[in-house]
Amino acid sequence: AAEGGDSTPASPADSSYETLLVSREDNVTTITLNRPLKKNAITNQMYNEIIAALEEAAKDESAITVFTGAGDFYCSGNDLTNFTKIPEDGIQEMAKRGGELLRKYVKAYIDFPKPLVAVVNGPAVGISVTVLGLFDLVYATDRATFHTPFSQLGQTAEGCSSYTFPKIMGPAKANEMLLFNKKLTAAQACDLGLVTEVFPDSSFQAEVWSRLKGYGKLPPNCLLFSKRLIRSTETERLHAVNDAEVERLVERWTSDECFNAIMSFFQNKSKL
Amino acid sequence: AAEGGDSTPASPADSSYETLLVSREDNVTTITLNRPLKKNAITNQMYNEIIAALEEAAKDESAITVFTGAGDFYCSGNDLTNFTKIPEDGIQEMAKRGGELLRKYVKAYIDFPKPLVAVVNGPAVGISVTVLGLFDLVYATDRATFHTPFSQLGQTAEGCSSYTFPKIMGPAKANEMLLFNKKLTAAQACDLGLVTEVFPDSSFQAEVWSRLKGYGKLPPNCLLFSKRLIRSTETERLHAVNDAEVERLVERWTSDECFNAIMSFFQNKSKL
Amino acid sequence: AAEGGDSTPASPADSSYETLLVSREDNVTTITLNRPLKKNAITNQMYNEIIAALEEAAKDESAITVFTGAGDFYCSGNDLTNFTKIPEDGIQEMAKRGGELLRKYVKAYIDFPKPLVAVVNGPAVGISVTVLGLFDLVYATDRATFHTPFSQLGQTAEGCSSYTFPKIMGPAKANEMLLFNKKLTAAQACDLGLVTEVFPDSSFQAEVWSRLKGYGKLPPNCLLFSKRLIRSTETERLHAVNDAEVERLVERWTSDECFNAIMSFFQNKSKL
């Protein structure tokens, strides 16, 4: 663990992950989604690895944890091929298992005890956007976009966004994203309070990591206790929202509306 | 009901309303306040007709419901002549009945199950502004203004605005409207999150209706369930706020402060 | 008390305060922090005098209460010399007493019944910033800045800011202030909703006092009841947040992290 500060070299902290890179340096643990050829779309394996990496980061000696993506994309959201392998026990059971995994995934963000920073290095879609409301800071390149096309895909909000987005930006703005598939630019997301600050892509990495290095030197217990004060007033509410969102999505995943919308998505894709 | 989509002609859905126009087209139900000569001020009859029209729209086959005004005004708020006909059983009983009607009116917005869109075609005053916090989208022409002159009229906030406005824009901004009678421009209301987007008046209707037509094609259950997820975390709170606001207004309507303020309003008006 | 309106001369309402000026004019009570040579840093005596002045203002006949600072600073926050006189009964007891005083101080803002307006005449630091989330309006000169360097000083949020700041500006913006010591300009604080409006320093006092004089003429019960409606939905929550923040700070004040951070602060200061 990187207690020593400046002199600690960046090093893979745990090579057991297949879909992530995890490193620790300057009291900062960085979790990098590492499927750049698939725009970092999240497979079931990846959900499980992220949950494990967050659990590890919560316990290590870093002061803050950073989440980012390898390549040009931040994350293209749930890998829709998660839905294409229908198992022997049928679609109902697959939906239940998917719901349980999603519930556990979002819970890992709600309960994460240290400051969690998103370094949004490119376009973000779906669940990689919705959980941003559970992050403590969100830095974005001006190439980033933010898109949650739930109703286009016959689905409904997750990641506690049905609660955090209206709280952050008010319902009149949040519903454009949550109900009506609006894609935000980085500047728009920053105006609405979903993003902390936007940087030109050319200086993005340099500026952001210089700040994060500084944050890593702050008294770690202060950061821990400050986040706990802020989060504790709504932890219970967030868990209830997560449960309600997952329950609804499990119903959605077995509905005709959702089936038709996803079929239509793949058909349009194959036509291109 | 307009299940057929594009080919369905716009048609009055119910001709039983005297103060409203209600039409259905492209899975969109539109409720239009139709007292343009009175700037769409809301009479007691009109409150009851809007409640009935919302109940109808909740049950019809449309995907979304739109609220707008006929003529140059969106709505000038509560028709103050509602206060000038003092009935035989006295002002206390009139205040109680007015409160009960208001409570029922705001309740209709809190409980409305489908996405509810305000198409603010001109200036909005009083209760037509305060209930906007209960809408899901608010599109405004750049001619629109937003004004809630409660304390000027000796009254207090309604439409759940004592809760929704501080939540949307923070108390430092909300109190200028709720306590100190500030009139917002459309651009200001948009910056503060009360309005989703502002359009030049010349293209307002065309742009807004083109979007709404698109929204009407989205999977209706998705919209219904998404709104339910968003609203359900605060339904109980909203009803409690509505009750508290109405109770205070019933007291206000029988107070000297309010009586003097409304007298002064009519005197200034008659001087013009 | 200043019931008479325009003709009432500004006059010290209570000369028993040593660290404050309190005056009443035009139905407005003004509490002025009066240690300009110390940038209005708040000593223990001053906390007690402000609590007393707020209690008095709550009961007097004014319609609104204004809070401002004498000289070029609004307030530089907690006077850190409060920490340097370690009493005979030790640092633990000092921390407990400090916590009790802080709890009572913030409680006075939570429970204040009338509209409370901050006239931020210059830089604001620490607790003078955090309690702004409990004010009803915040007017600022463009010379004002807003800074809450908690973690730099080994401390954590107070003044209910761990709840009000994320509610007002969303966590992505609030955490820059609460966790990462970001200093905001007046314009930034206004964009984020912490400040109602910013004025050029040259016209600040004239413009603000002209408005406040107008507000003092509004029906006082309206203002009182409107504020009560707005505040009542979260009074209980605010008291719980205040208690949790104070409990954490009492722990912080006796921690090595905090001791080291404050020592470092005084050492850097003495080097200048």
Side-chain angles (χ1 to χ4, degrees), chain C residues 74-133:
Chain C
Y74 176 66
C75 174
S76 56
N78 188 39
D79 192 322
L80 286 177
T81 62
N82 289 339
F83 288 120
T84 53
K85 305 157 204 157
I86 296 174
E88 279 187 30
D89 55 357
I91 203 166
Q92 293 281 355
E93 288 304 311
M94 183 179 79
K96 267 192 207 171
R97 277 197 301 275
E100 195 40 48
L101 181 57
L102 174 62
R103 207 185 64 77
K104 214 178 137 194
Y105 182 72
V106 175
K107 192 176 178 306
Y109 289 90
I110 298 172
D111 292 336
F112 192 72
K114 298 175 181 179
L116 187 62
V117 182
V119 172
V120 185
N121 57 297
V125 181
I127 190 161
S128 75
V129 176
T130 55
V131 295
L132 289 178

Side-chain angles (χ1 to χ4, degrees), chain B residues 150-157 162-163 166-173 175-176 178-182 237 241 244-245 248 251-252 257 261, chain C residues 64 115 117 133 135-139 167-168 190-191 193-197 211 215 218-223 225-230 233-234:
Chain B
F150 299 126
S151 44
Q152 228 166 52
L153 295 170
Q155 303 186 34
T156 47
S162 69
Y163 171 73
K167 196 186 161 198
I168 292 170
M169 51 184 97
K173 308 286 191 185
N175 288 321
E176 280 198 298
L178 297 176
L179 274 69
F180 300 117
N181 307 297
K182 181 174 184 177
R237 163 63 53 93
V241 167
E245 287 177 345
R248 174 53 59 197
E251 176 275 327
R252 290 280 82 201
E257 257 188 20
Chain C
I64 64 172
V117 182
F135 277 68
D136 302 295
L137 285 184
V138 180
Y139 291 135
K167 196 185 161 197
I168 292 169
C190 189
D191 277 350
L194 188 61
V195 165
T196 306
E197 192 171 341
R211 292 202 196 182
Y215 298 163
L218 292 170
N221 288 330
C222 265
L223 298 181
F225 291 137
S226 290
K227 168 150 183 180
R228 192 185 295 174
L229 279 170
I230 295 165
T233 60
E234 54 181 8

Side-chain angles (χ1 to χ4, degrees), chain C:
Chain C
E3 258 195 315
D6 293 354
S7 62
T8 318
S11 58
D14 189 330
S15 55
S16 69
Y17 299 116
E18 288 181 16
T19 64
L20 308 176
L21 296 172
V22 178
S23 65
R24 294 195 184 90
E25 189 178 13
D26 299 328
N27 296 326
V28 178
T29 293
T30 303
I31 300 171
T32 306
L33 302 178
N34 196 26
R35 288 182 77 218
L37 297 180
K38 294 289 182 184
K39 299 177 178 175
N40 299 317
I42 309 180
T43 59
N44 285 344
Q45 180 192 3
M46 213 157 161
Y47 282 116
N48 281 309
E49 292 196 354
I50 296 168
I51 294 167
L54 286 171
E55 273 170 16
E56 235 194 322
K59 288 179 207 150
D60 73 17
E61 283 156 358
S62 63
I64 64 172
T65 298
V66 173
F67 204 90
T68 193
D72 287 338
F73 249 73
Y74 176 66
C75 174
S76 56
N78 188 39
D79 192 322
L80 286 177
T81 62
N82 289 339
F83 288 120
T84 53
K85 305 157 204 157
I86 296 174
E88 279 187 30
D89 55 357
I91 203 166
Q92 293 281 355
E93 288 304 311
M94 183 179 79
K96 267 192 207 171
R97 277 197 301 275
E100 195 40 48
L101 181 57
L102 174 62
R103 207 185 64 77
K104 214 178 137 194
Y105 182 72
V106 175
K107 192 176 178 306
Y109 289 90
I110 298 172
D111 292 336
F112 192 72
K114 298 175 181 179
L116 187 62
V117 182
V119 172
V120 185
N121 57 297
V125 181
I127 190 161
S128 75
V129 176
T130 55
V131 295
L132 289 178
L134 301 170
F135 277 68
D136 302 295
L137 285 184
V138 180
Y139 291 135
T141 168
D142 57 11
R143 279 197 316 102
T145 52
F146 298 85
H147 197 199
T148 54
F150 299 125
S151 45
Q152 227 165 52
L153 295 170
Q155 302 186 35
T156 47
E158 16 75 337
C160 293
S161 59
S162 68
Y163 171 73
T164 59
F165 281 24
K167 196 185 161 197
I168 292 169
M169 52 185 96
K173 309 286 190 185
N175 288 322
E176 281 198 298
M177 296 187 76
L178 296 176
L179 273 68
F180 299 116
N181 308 296
K182 181 175 184 178
K183 188 194 285 190
L184 299 188
T185 64
Q188 287 170 330
C190 189
D191 277 350
L192 294 176
L194 188 61
V195 165
T196 306
E197 192 171 341
V198 180
F199 301 83
D201 198 55
S202 56
S203 57
F204 178 59
Q205 297 289 346
E207 291 208 41
V208 164
W209 287 101
S210 146
R211 292 202 196 182
L212 294 172
K213 198 171 166 171
Y215 298 163
K217 289 177 186 158
L218 292 170
N221 288 330
C222 265
L223 298 181
L224 201 68
F225 291 137
S226 290
K227 168 150 183 180
R228 192 185 295 174
L229 279 170
I230 295 165
R231 178 60 47 94
S232 64
T233 60
E234 54 181 8
T235 311
E236 207 180 331
R237 163 63 53 94
L238 291 169
H239 285 305
V241 168
N242 185 25
D243 291 349
E245 288 177 344
V246 166
E247 192 183 351
R248 174 53 58 198
L249 270 171
V250 169
E251 175 275 326
R252 290 279 83 201
W253 290 334
T254 60
S255 72
D256 289 347
E257 256 189 19
C258 182
F259 180 81
N260 294 335
I262 290 182
M263 283 305 103
S264 163
F265 173 85
F266 279 113
Q267 279 162 9
N268 287 331
K269 215 177 162 185
S270 66
K271 277 182 204 156
L272 296 179

Side-chain angles (χ1 to χ4, degrees), chain B residues 213-227:
Chain B
K213 197 171 166 173
Y215 299 162
K217 290 176 186 157
L218 291 169
N221 288 330
C222 265
L223 299 180
L224 201 68
F225 291 136
S226 291
K227 168 151 183 180

